[in-house]
Amino acid sequence: MNIAIVGATGNVGRKIIEVLEKKNFPTKNLYLVASSKSVGKKIKFKGKEIVVENLETFDFSKGEITFFSAGGKISEKYVPIAAKYSTVIDNSRHFRMDPDVPLIVPQVNSNDLKNIKKNIIANPNCSTAQLVIVLKPLHDIFKIKRVVISTYQSTSGAGKAAMDELEEQTKLSLENKKIISKNYTKQIAFNAIPHIDIFVDEGYTKEEIKMIDETKKIIDNKIELTATCVRIPVMVSHSESLNIEFEKPYTVEKIREVLNNAEGCKVIDERKDGGYITPVEAEGKNETFISRIRKDNSNQNAVNLWCVSDNLLRGAALNAVEIAEAYIKIK
Ligand SMILES: NC(=O)c1ccc[n+]([C@@H]2O[C@H](COP(=O)([O-])OP(=O)(O)OC[C@H]3O[C@@H](n4cnc5c(N)ncnc54)[C@H](OP(=O)(O)O)[C@@H]3O)[C@@H](O)[C@H]2O)c1
């Protein structure tokens, strides 16, 4: 197929290129598109160098599938144009809650790909993608009533400039020099910031609301959720602490068995020093890892667990390419 990537020079765009190559995705021509400042840059794909083109002048009829990962504003303006000629897989938040746009994690709801009306498919928020991979198999068996989520999100979730800021601030901090924050509202090095995306209603942030709304759209509108999203000084992989309350009684052993057999999940839960997964270990891996599975002693139908996934893979590039694979199968 002919593939185009808008935002090809960014964190997610570069990962999409890597995933297409690793999976040997059937790619006839690959077109790489970014802002005018990147025009002429060369990026390698399958041993060949591809020259980056300018979004403003790009001919969207070149791609049969076009991935967008250049932010919400770019998607708002250019996705409807691209979708006239090409099937768009959009990583931004812009179309996710549009009832005519399926929001897909292939292991969870690839059937929703049958309802494409605008030639647009949305990729969920990074913290949602790993969450639904864990919740869906549990919901199928124990029926989830409510989930309390706390996230520990890496800087790569905020783009390349945000990762650079963590590196710079770490150096400055160690040298006892003045720290200036550009991508964050407070210092990110050696800190934790309980604020991701803009503030919306009742003191919640947009990231928290996205996790709630997107999970309902992907799995089941009846599940109740609440979230607190926190940025931490980690480069790659998001971690989530989940408290999941079921309608039905459960056992920890059964949860372990269900998650071990669920597509995209891997349980690492040894209940001893180091017998759990951390963000550094999840980087570069396709699975969503689950650790620290234990009873909530204050609620007999609830369980606590820890889940970690590479946000640039499951939360973005891998999920986007898997959507393309599922779409080709269904088409
Ligand atoms: N990072 C994650 O974990 C994650 C997960 C899910 C979804 N997403 C979404 O994916 C998108 C990209 O995120 P990212 O982390 O890859 O960001 P990033 O590293 O900052 O990259 C942004 C990309 O967009 C391009 N771009 C920016 N302004 C542009 C313009 N005016 N015209 C054309 N291209 C432009 C940039 O091109 P230049 O290099 O030329 O500026 C670059 O290729 C965002 O919508 C984000 O919400 C990210």
Side-chain angles (χ1 to χ4, degrees):
M1 297 191 88
N2 290 316
I3 307 291
I5 304 173
V6 176
T9 52
N11 266 347
V12 176
R14 282 181 184 271
K15 273 283 166 199
I16 294 175
I17 299 168
E18 249 179 71
V19 175
L20 289 172
E21 180 158 351
K22 242 190 202 162
K23 280 182 169 278
N24 207 10
F25 190 90
T27 312
K28 195 169 160 200
N29 292 298
L30 179 65
Y31 300 96
L32 304 180
V33 186
S35 77
S36 54
K37 89 168 196 252
S38 300
V39 172
K41 268 189 191 166
K42 288 174 187 160
I43 299 179
K44 266 204 172 158
F45 178 67
K46 292 190 176 173
K48 276 194 205 154
E49 285 195 322
I50 301 178
V51 178
V52 175
E53 300 182 49
N54 189 347
L55 173 63
E56 279 169 29
T57 51
F58 184 67
D59 170 8
F60 283 107
S61 66
K62 283 179 173 174
E64 289 156 87
I65 292 180
T66 303
F67 295 96
F68 267 78
S69 65
K73 287 211 172 99
I74 297 290
S75 288
E76 181 179 10
K77 183 170 172 195
Y78 288 97
V79 164
I81 303 169
K84 285 185 194 156
Y85 308 97
S86 170
T87 299
V88 172
I89 298 172
D90 184 34
N91 276 292
S92 84
R93 74 175 187 219
H94 191 77
F95 294 95
R96 288 182 191 149
M97 295 313 294
D98 182 329
D100 291 334
V101 172
L103 179 63
I104 303 291
V105 174
Q107 291 79 354
V108 174
N109 65 336
S110 55
N111 270 346
D112 291 353
L113 283 171
K114 290 175 185 148
N115 302 326
I116 299 179
K117 293 189 180 126
K118 294 181 171 171
N119 221 12
I120 305 169
I121 305 162
N123 201 5
N125 187 38
C126 38
S127 42
T128 308
Q130 72 185 74
L131 175 69
V132 297
I133 283 255
V134 174
L135 294 187
K136 179 63 166 60
L138 298 177
H139 187 56
D140 286 345
I141 296 194
F142 305 112
K143 205 146 198 284
I144 295 172
K145 195 169 162 191
R146 179 170 183 257
V147 190
V148 181
I149 309 151
S150 301
T151 71
Y152 306 75
Q153 297 180 225
S154 68
T155 53
S156 58
K160 200 177 166 315
M163 294 171 85
D164 293 345
E165 184 157 322
L166 170 58
E167 200 175 312
E168 275 160 35
Q169 285 190 358
T170 305
K171 280 185 206 147
L172 290 170
S173 178
L174 290 171
E175 290 163 4
N176 259 332
K177 289 189 180 150
K178 189 173 174 342
I179 285 177
I180 298 161
S181 296
K182 287 175 271 178
N183 292 281
Y184 298 105
T185 51
K186 305 237 177 188
Q187 172 181 330
I188 182 67
F190 305 104
N191 208 358
I193 307 176
H195 171 192
I196 301 180
D197 210 331
I198 55 171
F199 274 89
V200 287
D201 295 340
E202 295 179 6
Y204 283 87
T205 63
K206 187 83 188 164
E207 184 82 355
E208 290 156 355
I209 301 301
K210 276 187 281 188
M211 284 193 86
I212 294 166
D213 292 348
E214 292 177 18
T215 302
K216 283 173 177 277
K217 178 168 175 177
I218 295 170
I219 303 183
D220 185 339
N221 205 23
K222 291 194 196 81
I223 298 176
E224 296 297 340
L225 303 104
T226 188
T228 302
C229 293
V230 180
R231 187 77 69 195
I232 58 162
V234 158
M235 282 294 183
V236 177
S237 303
H238 291 347
S239 306
E240 296 176 4
S241 159
L242 308 180
N243 178 270
I244 310 168
E245 184 180 349
F246 302 110
E247 302 262 354
K248 297 179 187 166
Y250 77 93
T251 63
V252 166
E253 291 66 36
K254 185 70 184 166
I255 290 206
R256 204 169 271 141
E257 183 194 317
V258 169
L259 291 177
N260 248 330
N261 293 326
E263 216 187 324
C265 292
K266 186 167 183 179
V267 175
I268 297 185
D269 188 20
E270 292 180 32
R271 295 188 172 184
K272 63 174 194 193
D273 291 358
Y276 43 80
I277 195 98
T278 61
V280 167
E281 295 154 295
E283 181 176 349
K285 312 243 168 58
N286 290 350
E287 296 95 339
T288 294
F289 296 93
I290 300 108
S291 304
R292 305 286 327 276
I293 306 169
R294 63 213 188 276
K295 274 187 164 173
D296 172 352
N297 289 331
S298 67
N299 180 342
Q300 61 170 0
N301 277 1
V303 71
N304 289 312
L305 57 85
W306 170 252
C307 99
V308 187
S309 196
D310 184 322
N311 53 298
L312 298 175
L313 285 173
R314 167 57 56 211
L318 174 69
N319 203 64
V321 175
E322 285 180 352
I323 290 175
E325 290 174 328
Y327 169 72
I328 293 167
K329 263 192 213 154
I330 268 178
K331 208 168 67 136

PDB file of all heavy atoms in Angstrom, residues 104-118:
ATOM      1  N   ILE A 104     -10.243   3.083  18.203  1.00  0.00           N
ATOM      2  CA  ILE A 104      -9.914   1.657  18.152  1.00  0.00           C
ATOM      3  C   ILE A 104      -8.640   1.263  18.892  1.00  0.00           C
ATOM      4  O   ILE A 104      -7.585   1.881  18.733  1.00  0.00           O
ATOM      5  CB  ILE A 104      -9.751   1.201  16.665  1.00  0.00           C
ATOM      6  CG1 ILE A 104     -11.026   1.492  15.851  1.00  0.00           C
ATOM      7  CG2 ILE A 104      -9.363  -0.267  16.565  1.00  0.00           C
ATOM      8  CD1 ILE A 104     -12.232   0.658  16.196  1.00  0.00           C
ATOM      9  N   VAL A 105      -8.749   0.198  19.687  1.00  0.00           N
ATOM     10  CA  VAL A 105      -7.597  -0.581  20.123  1.00  0.00           C
ATOM     11  C   VAL A 105      -7.896  -1.985  19.577  1.00  0.00           C
ATOM     12  O   VAL A 105      -8.843  -2.637  20.036  1.00  0.00           O
ATOM     13  CB  VAL A 105      -7.456  -0.597  21.668  1.00  0.00           C
ATOM     14  CG1 VAL A 105      -6.336  -1.542  22.094  1.00  0.00           C
ATOM     15  CG2 VAL A 105      -7.159   0.804  22.174  1.00  0.00           C
ATOM     16  N   PRO A 106      -7.161  -2.431  18.568  1.00  0.00           N
ATOM     17  CA  PRO A 106      -7.581  -3.630  17.830  1.00  0.00           C
ATOM     18  C   PRO A 106      -7.869  -4.850  18.699  1.00  0.00           C
ATOM     19  O   PRO A 106      -8.810  -5.602  18.424  1.00  0.00           O
ATOM     20  CB  PRO A 106      -6.411  -3.881  16.873  1.00  0.00           C
ATOM     21  CG  PRO A 106      -5.844  -2.531  16.640  1.00  0.00           C
ATOM     22  CD  PRO A 106      -5.960  -1.812  17.958  1.00  0.00           C
ATOM     23  N   GLN A 107      -7.088  -5.082  19.767  1.00  0.00           N
ATOM     24  CA  GLN A 107      -7.314  -6.244  20.639  1.00  0.00           C
ATOM     25  C   GLN A 107      -8.633  -6.136  21.386  1.00  0.00           C
ATOM     26  O   GLN A 107      -9.129  -7.106  21.938  1.00  0.00           O
ATOM     27  CB  GLN A 107      -6.186  -6.359  21.677  1.00  0.00           C
ATOM     28  CG  GLN A 107      -4.835  -6.748  21.119  1.00  0.00           C
ATOM     29  CD  GLN A 107      -4.104  -5.582  20.472  1.00  0.00           C
ATOM     30  OE1 GLN A 107      -4.639  -4.486  20.329  1.00  0.00           O
ATOM     31  NE2 GLN A 107      -2.889  -5.837  20.050  1.00  0.00           N
ATOM     32  N   VAL A 108      -9.218  -4.936  21.434  1.00  0.00           N
ATOM     33  CA  VAL A 108     -10.411  -4.703  22.257  1.00  0.00           C
ATOM     34  C   VAL A 108     -11.678  -4.548  21.417  1.00  0.00           C
ATOM     35  O   VAL A 108     -12.710  -5.161  21.704  1.00  0.00           O
ATOM     36  CB  VAL A 108     -10.187  -3.438  23.137  1.00  0.00           C
ATOM     37  CG1 VAL A 108     -11.444  -3.072  23.907  1.00  0.00           C
ATOM     38  CG2 VAL A 108      -9.021  -3.656  24.083  1.00  0.00           C
ATOM     39  N   ASN A 109     -11.637  -3.718  20.364  1.00  0.00           N
ATOM     40  CA  ASN A 109     -12.888  -3.396  19.659  1.00  0.00           C
ATOM     41  C   ASN A 109     -12.710  -3.246  18.140  1.00  0.00           C
ATOM     42  O   ASN A 109     -13.265  -2.332  17.551  1.00  0.00           O
ATOM     43  CB  ASN A 109     -13.516  -2.115  20.254  1.00  0.00           C
ATOM     44  CG  ASN A 109     -12.651  -0.887  20.028  1.00  0.00           C
ATOM     45  OD1 ASN A 109     -11.452  -0.992  19.852  1.00  0.00           O
ATOM     46  ND2 ASN A 109     -13.281   0.277  20.018  1.00  0.00           N
ATOM     47  N   SER A 110     -11.970  -4.170  17.539  1.00  0.00           N
ATOM     48  CA  SER A 110     -11.743  -4.024  16.091  1.00  0.00           C
ATOM     49  C   SER A 110     -13.048  -4.124  15.300  1.00  0.00           C
ATOM     50  O   SER A 110     -13.133  -3.638  14.165  1.00  0.00           O
ATOM     51  CB  SER A 110     -10.703  -5.020  15.574  1.00  0.00           C
ATOM     52  OG  SER A 110     -11.080  -6.298  15.921  1.00  0.00           O
ATOM     53  N   ASN A 111     -14.088  -4.728  15.914  1.00  0.00           N
ATOM     54  CA  ASN A 111     -15.407  -4.802  15.234  1.00  0.00           C
ATOM     55  C   ASN A 111     -15.961  -3.422  14.906  1.00  0.00           C
ATOM     56  O   ASN A 111     -16.708  -3.265  13.942  1.00  0.00           O
ATOM     57  CB  ASN A 111     -16.427  -5.521  16.123  1.00  0.00           C
ATOM     58  CG  ASN A 111     -16.397  -7.002  15.838  1.00  0.00           C
ATOM     59  OD1 ASN A 111     -15.824  -7.421  14.837  1.00  0.00           O
ATOM     60  ND2 ASN A 111     -16.981  -7.780  16.730  1.00  0.00           N
ATOM     61  N   ASP A 112     -15.581  -2.412  15.719  1.00  0.00           N
ATOM     62  CA  ASP A 112     -16.082  -1.048  15.479  1.00  0.00           C
ATOM     63  C   ASP A 112     -15.554  -0.470  14.165  1.00  0.00           C
ATOM     64  O   ASP A 112     -16.044   0.545  13.690  1.00  0.00           O
ATOM     65  CB  ASP A 112     -15.703  -0.106  16.637  1.00  0.00           C
ATOM     66  CG  ASP A 112     -16.447  -0.455  17.920  1.00  0.00           C
ATOM     67  OD1 ASP A 112     -17.335  -1.320  17.873  1.00  0.00           O
ATOM     68  OD2 ASP A 112     -16.123   0.131  18.971  1.00  0.00           O
ATOM     69  N   LEU A 113     -14.552  -1.130  13.573  1.00  0.00           N
ATOM     70  CA  LEU A 113     -14.019  -0.663  12.288  1.00  0.00           C
ATOM     71  C   LEU A 113     -15.047  -0.816  11.168  1.00  0.00           C
ATOM     72  O   LEU A 113     -14.889  -0.265  10.090  1.00  0.00           O
ATOM     73  CB  LEU A 113     -12.749  -1.443  11.921  1.00  0.00           C
ATOM     74  CG  LEU A 113     -11.480  -1.039  12.670  1.00  0.00           C
ATOM     75  CD1 LEU A 113     -10.353  -2.011  12.380  1.00  0.00           C
ATOM     76  CD2 LEU A 113     -11.059   0.371  12.284  1.00  0.00           C
ATOM     77  N   LYS A 114     -16.098  -1.600  11.456  1.00  0.00           N
ATOM     78  CA  LYS A 114     -17.159  -1.767  10.439  1.00  0.00           C
ATOM     79  C   LYS A 114     -17.995  -0.493  10.308  1.00  0.00           C
ATOM     80  O   LYS A 114     -18.751  -0.342   9.366  1.00  0.00           O
ATOM     81  CB  LYS A 114     -18.057  -2.948  10.807  1.00  0.00           C
ATOM     82  CG  LYS A 114     -17.331  -4.267  10.660  1.00  0.00           C
ATOM     83  CD  LYS A 114     -18.166  -5.433  11.126  1.00  0.00           C
ATOM     84  CE  LYS A 114     -17.322  -6.709  11.074  1.00  0.00           C
ATOM     85  NZ  LYS A 114     -17.718  -7.663  12.130  1.00  0.00           N
ATOM     86  N   ASN A 115     -17.847   0.424  11.293  1.00  0.00           N
ATOM     87  CA  ASN A 115     -18.683   1.638  11.273  1.00  0.00           C
ATOM     88  C   ASN A 115     -17.938   2.887  10.807  1.00  0.00           C
ATOM     89  O   ASN A 115     -18.176   3.969  11.307  1.00  0.00           O
ATOM     90  CB  ASN A 115     -19.213   1.924  12.694  1.00  0.00           C
ATOM     91  CG  ASN A 115     -20.001   0.770  13.225  1.00  0.00           C
ATOM     92  OD1 ASN A 115     -20.676   0.089  12.476  1.00  0.00           O
ATOM     93  ND2 ASN A 115     -19.889   0.525  14.516  1.00  0.00           N
ATOM     94  N   ILE A 116     -17.034   2.730   9.864  1.00  0.00           N
ATOM     95  CA  ILE A 116     -16.315   3.925   9.386  1.00  0.00           C
ATOM     96  C   ILE A 116     -17.233   4.705   8.461  1.00  0.00           C
ATOM     97  O   ILE A 116     -17.712   4.175   7.465  1.00  0.00           O
ATOM     98  CB  ILE A 116     -15.031   3.543   8.626  1.00  0.00           C
ATOM     99  CG1 ILE A 116     -14.102   2.776   9.554  1.00  0.00           C
ATOM    100  CG2 ILE A 116     -14.327   4.794   8.086  1.00  0.00           C
ATOM    101  CD1 ILE A 116     -12.828   2.322   8.902  1.00  0.00           C
ATOM    102  N   LYS A 117     -17.483   5.980   8.828  1.00  0.00           N
ATOM    103  CA  LYS A 117     -18.377   6.790   7.997  1.00  0.00           C
ATOM    104  C   LYS A 117     -17.644   7.933   7.329  1.00  0.00           C
ATOM    105  O   LYS A 117     -18.033   8.387   6.274  1.00  0.00           O
ATOM    106  CB  LYS A 117     -19.517   7.348   8.847  1.00  0.00           C
ATOM    107  CG  LYS A 117     -20.435   6.237   9.349  1.00  0.00           C
ATOM    108  CD  LYS A 117     -21.683   6.782   9.994  1.00  0.00           C
ATOM    109  CE  LYS A 117     -22.569   5.641  10.478  1.00  0.00           C
ATOM    110  NZ  LYS A 117     -22.910   5.770  11.880  1.00  0.00           N
ATOM    111  N   LYS A 118     -16.594   8.435   7.969  1.00  0.00           N
ATOM    112  CA  LYS A 118     -15.918   9.627   7.426  1.00  0.00           C
ATOM    113  C   LYS A 118     -14.545   9.321   6.851  1.00  0.00           C
ATOM    114  O   LYS A 118     -13.773  10.232   6.599  1.00  0.00           O
ATOM    115  CB  LYS A 118     -15.758  10.665   8.548  1.00  0.00           C
ATOM    116  CG  LYS A 118     -17.067  11.224   9.067  1.00  0.00           C
ATOM    117  CD  LYS A 118     -16.768  12.248  10.149  1.00  0.00           C
ATOM    118  CE  LYS A 118     -18.023  12.991  10.561  1.00  0.00           C
ATOM    119  NZ  LYS A 118     -17.778  13.822  11.753  1.00  0.00           N
TER     120      LYS A 118
END
